[in-house]
Amino acid sequence: MFKDSTTGLDRILQEAGPVDIDSYLENHAESLADPERPFAAYMRQMFKEKKISQQDVFRRAYIPEQYGYRLIGQTRNTIRRDYILRFCFAGRFNLKETQRALKLYGMSELYSRIPRDAVLMIAFNRGISDIDRVNELLGTHGMEPLMECKHEE
């Protein structure tokens, strides 16, 4: 887990100037994400905070374990935003946490003007974490379910 909170780091950066960069990086090294794999660090931190194992997330997300490890660890990439959303639902993320995960992975955040995204946002805001329930909500409104991951791509 990171030593300093994100809010605390944000406050420090509001007051910092260019001359403070080296000091900031040195003093807060334990709180900074791996620049090569920020998504991986974030997801592992979130799973730890929520007291849920990666294996449980993969099982609840219906994503094969080996493929899940590769996606979380960023040793394998996907263009399928639904896979990242499955991790977030299965990990019991709220909307803010999900938006951050998508952003760190390099994907577009959920957008309230897109009908399917709006349904997903409501599900996150209401704490609906069961993939089958999310897919039921989508289907009820004539939308595609979260894409399934049955094999390694």
Side-chain angles (χ1 to χ4, degrees):
M1 183 153 353
F2 295 121
K3 182 179 168 192
D4 300 306
S5 72
T6 303
T7 304
L9 293 173
D10 289 346
R11 276 194 220 112
I12 292 167
L13 291 174
Q14 284 177 337
E15 303 298 321
V19 298
D20 301 312
I21 293 172
D22 288 333
S23 172
Y24 173 83
L25 294 175
E26 182 180 324
N27 292 336
H28 302 285
E30 292 180 38
S31 297
L32 302 177
D34 177 352
E36 298 299 315
R37 296 188 178 146
F39 174 80
Y42 178 69
M43 295 302 277
R44 288 185 182 120
Q45 173 194 353
M46 294 305 299
F47 296 157
K48 186 180 234 180
E49 284 178 15
K50 292 175 180 294
K51 296 180 172 100
I52 187 169
S53 71
Q54 287 186 68
Q55 295 89 349
D56 284 342
V57 170
F58 303 148
R59 182 183 47 76
R60 294 185 71 224
Y62 302 114
I63 292 181
E65 192 172 322
Q66 290 296 52
Y67 189 55
Y69 279 116
R70 291 182 191 132
L71 290 177
I72 295 285
Q74 292 184 281
T75 59
R76 177 78 185 215
N77 290 317
T78 184
I79 59 169
R80 311 241 187 258
R81 185 170 76 151
D82 280 4
Y83 294 178
I84 305 308
L85 290 170
R86 281 177 169 272
F87 287 143
C88 294
F89 278 115
R92 299 182 184 103
F93 285 24
N94 63 36
L95 181 58
K96 184 178 178 182
E97 294 162 344
T98 299
Q99 299 289 50
R100 178 142 189 209
L102 289 168
K103 188 174 184 177
L104 288 171
Y105 202 86
M107 296 187 163
S108 62
E109 296 178 14
L110 295 170
Y111 185 54
S112 58
R113 293 187 187 271
I114 298 172
R116 185 173 185 265
D117 283 4
V119 172
L120 295 171
M121 292 170 84
I122 289 169
F124 279 113
N125 285 332
R126 295 293 170 246
I128 299 169
S129 62
D130 180 76
I131 300 294
D132 294 328
R133 177 77 174 103
V134 172
N135 284 336
E136 180 183 311
L137 276 174
L138 290 166
T140 298
H141 298 284
M143 298 173 190
E144 291 293 316
L146 290 172
M147 184 173 284
E148 291 186 32
C149 179
K150 293 192 180 205
H151 63 285
E152 296 184 25
E153 295 184 347

